[in-house]
Amino acid sequence: MPKTVQHVYVFSNLEDVTGPQLLKVLSRMRNRSAAGLDSWKVDELKRLPPAFFDRLACLFNAIEETGRWPASLSQGIVSLISKGEGTDPTKLRPIGVMSTIYRLWAATRVREVLTWQEHWIDASMHGFRRSHSAEDIWWTQALAIEGALLQDHCLYSLSLDFGKCFDRIPIHIVLRLSRVHGVSPRLLRPLESL
């Protein structure tokens, strides 16, 4: 039986973003990730003094309070990358690339979202979770197939591929559900304005 989702308000006392917190998250970001329209690269940000990140934290906190991003940080670009099957338009995958500074904010705050998610997510779900991965599902399925083969049992499966499913979900629905189920308005306001 599926879990009943409870209204868990784990973010009621969400603390301000701090400069040291941003530096810690930045240290884990890959230097070679693409720059956004603002042209900042991760390795360039890593060379800036700690005082810069204290000021950047003040900016992020103001954005969380007002829900308004500076235009230069709220715009992204779409790059087409090959799926490994050539350069025909049907063989390319669009990837949105936001500003590195925006991605630093998102990477900083996603930790709170992952903690909130653990209060309600079902144990059978494995994507985008700590200590869970899609490989957990693959291994479980591989063991079931191997067991059926060894014991000469029938095994049936159904595979559904929801092409671009995530991209087709209206974001206002996701944000409303997140708010109802306990995500701090402080985290949602900056996303509602994009």
Side-chain angles (χ1 to χ4, degrees), residues 13-65:
N13 295 318
L14 191 63
E15 295 184 18
D16 283 351
V17 174
T18 66
Q21 185 181 21
L22 293 174
L23 280 167
K24 183 177 180 181
V25 172
L26 181 64
S27 72
R28 293 190 293 257
M29 292 175 72
R30 291 189 335 234
N31 285 345
R32 296 177 52 102
S33 62
L37 285 175
D38 63 357
S39 298
W40 278 103
K41 296 178 182 175
V42 171
D43 64 330
E44 293 171 336
L45 287 178
K46 287 180 179 179
R47 292 185 214 140
L48 294 172
F52 172 84
F53 295 95
D54 292 335
R55 301 296 292 168
L56 187 57
C58 290
L59 174 64
F60 286 154
N61 292 323
I63 290 167
E64 288 180 359
E65 291 300 319

Side-chain angles (χ1 to χ4, degrees), residues 76-176:
I77 55 176
V78 176
S79 295
L80 297 174
I81 64 170
S82 175
K83 297 179 185 178
E85 304 167 1
T87 57
D88 182 77
T90 61
K91 308 292 185 196
L92 299 174
R93 181 172 46 142
I95 298 292
V97 180
M98 294 296 289
S99 155
T100 302
I101 293 174
Y102 169 84
R103 291 192 322 250
L104 177 58
W105 171 79
T108 301
R109 285 308 197 188
V110 77
R111 282 151 180 69
E112 283 97 354
V113 174
L114 290 173
T115 300
W116 161 78
Q117 176 181 267
E118 289 305 312
H119 289 277
W120 58 265
I121 197 165
D122 190 83
S124 66
M125 298 182 78
H126 294 285
F128 202 65
R129 291 183 70 188
R130 292 181 181 121
S131 303
H132 292 262
S133 74
E135 289 179 9
D136 295 324
I137 298 168
W138 302 334
W139 282 112
T140 302
Q141 294 301 312
L143 288 171
I145 292 167
E146 187 172 335
L149 290 171
L150 288 172
Q151 297 173 16
D152 199 28
H153 289 159
C154 292
L155 182 67
Y156 301 93
S157 71
L158 172 66
S159 176
L160 301 174
D161 184 5
F162 294 102
K164 300 182 183 20
C165 179
F166 181 77
D167 296 336
R168 293 181 181 163
I169 299 172
I171 190 67
H172 71 279
I173 293 173
V174 174
L175 294 173
R176 181 179 293 163

